[in-house]
Amino acid sequence: MLNGQTALVVEEEFLIALDIQRMLEALGVGKTLFAGTAAEAQTLQTYWPEIGIAVVEIRSRDAAALQLVDQLRKASVPTVLTTADVTVGHGPGAFPDLTVLPKPIPEDAMASAVRQALAARR
């Protein structure tokens, strides 16, 4: 599905980031860039043109992560959101067209969300 493309994983917890990487590798990701925060992801902006999928952890009051998601979308990077914040995903939210995966993330849900994100880019 991702045919060797690069993924950006923005996740504070390193073990969760590694689990997401494993799921994305099963979908064909060739390389994964990791960022623990939205600010770290910003420092990787020069790589954004080669990113095939971004998986970004969000929280309801994390303005930096929401801004990052907006910037990724403007750069035409397909994006999937993850969260452990139960308040995210209730109501319309900032990005009602993006899939929000609650943690823990089932592999089939990740695959479906990636498919949806890639299809929306076309």
Side-chain angles (χ1 to χ4, degrees):
M1 177 185 325
L2 290 163
N3 303 321
Q5 294 182 63
T6 299
L8 171 63
V9 175
V10 183
E11 168 60 55
E12 186 176 53
E13 297 292 331
F14 189 66
L15 291 177
I16 294 172
L18 288 176
D19 193 41
I20 291 170
Q21 176 189 30
R22 180 190 55 75
M23 288 185 236
L24 294 174
E25 285 176 346
L27 300 174
V29 161
K31 175 176 149 185
T32 304
L33 303 173
F34 293 100
T37 64
E40 277 183 44
Q42 294 288 352
T43 67
L44 300 171
Q45 201 164 13
T46 57
Y47 297 100
W48 288 9
E50 69 185 66
I51 293 173
I53 191 77
V55 179
V56 180
E57 174 187 28
I58 61 166
R59 294 179 189 91
S60 62
R61 292 190 171 93
D62 188 351
L66 296 175
Q67 181 180 16
L68 171 66
V69 172
D70 189 48
Q71 290 172 328
L72 288 166
R73 291 172 53 131
K74 287 178 180 171
S76 298
V77 176
T79 304
V80 173
L81 307 178
T82 67
T83 191
D85 183 344
V86 295
T87 64
V88 173
H90 296 290
F95 307 106
D97 57 322
L98 295 181
T99 301
V100 179
L101 298 173
K103 296 176 189 176
I105 306 165
E107 288 188 45
D108 59 333
M110 177 63 78
S112 177
V114 168
R115 256 191 239 73
Q116 184 179 355
L118 294 175
R121 180 166 77 169
R122 295 184 184 127

